[in-house]
Amino acid sequence: QVQLVESGGGLVQPGGSLRLSCAASGSISSIYRMGWYRQAPGKQRELVATITKGGSTNYADSVKGRFTISRDNAKNTVYLQMNSLKPEDMAVYYCNARQVLPGTYDYWGQGTQVTVSS
């Protein structure tokens, strides 16, 4: 019902920046909240940042002050601006879209790799 496609991942040096994009298609009107999760090898997937339909944002403590989530409603796209990147930010980043009506459901993108290395 909803399809998500991430882009913008790649290789960056510590202290550098990347901007991830997630384009949504399908039943866009059903989306209440979008966000980003990440998963490093051998680690559990964790929430990075979210933004609701009303514009409220939430961030993991580990990225506060460094990452910014935003959206472009006209393009049905959510962004994650990542600054001051650290090696511990290295992970596959997954876009998430949450539907609450007619029922609760999470949609996921295929993931985009972020590598932070000198």
Side-chain angles (χ1 to χ4, degrees):
Q1 193 171 20
V2 174
Q3 295 79 45
L4 304 173
V5 179
E6 303 102 327
S7 62
L11 174 65
V12 65
Q13 294 184 340
S17 299
L18 283 174
R19 188 179 75 158
L20 306 183
S21 299
C22 175
S25 61
S27 300
I28 306 301
S29 61
S30 70
I31 299 173
Y32 171 75
R33 189 192 79 175
M34 296 188 70
W36 293 91
Y37 290 69
R38 67 187 182 187
Q39 187 168 27
K43 304 296 182 182
Q44 190 168 321
R45 186 175 297 189
E46 64 177 353
L47 185 145
V48 177
T50 61
I51 184 166
T52 69
K53 187 176 181 179
S56 298
T57 58
N58 185 53
Y59 298 91
D61 288 341
S62 60
V63 307
K64 286 181 179 177
R66 299 188 299 120
F67 290 11
T68 303
I69 189 169
S70 62
R71 69 179 190 274
D72 185 334
N73 290 335
K75 295 181 178 180
N76 297 319
T77 300
V78 64
Y79 305 95
L80 184 68
Q81 179 66 46
M82 305 185 293
N83 298 327
S84 302
L85 282 161
K86 304 174 180 179
E88 50 262 46
D89 296 317
M90 188 183 311
V92 177
Y93 284 70
Y94 295 92
C95 184
N96 165 264
R98 178 162 293 177
Q99 167 190 298
V100 296
L101 294 173
T104 58
Y105 194 83
D106 281 338
Y107 298 91
W108 297 94
Q110 77 285 352
T112 185
Q113 175 71 236
V114 172
T115 301
V116 184
S117 176
S118 59

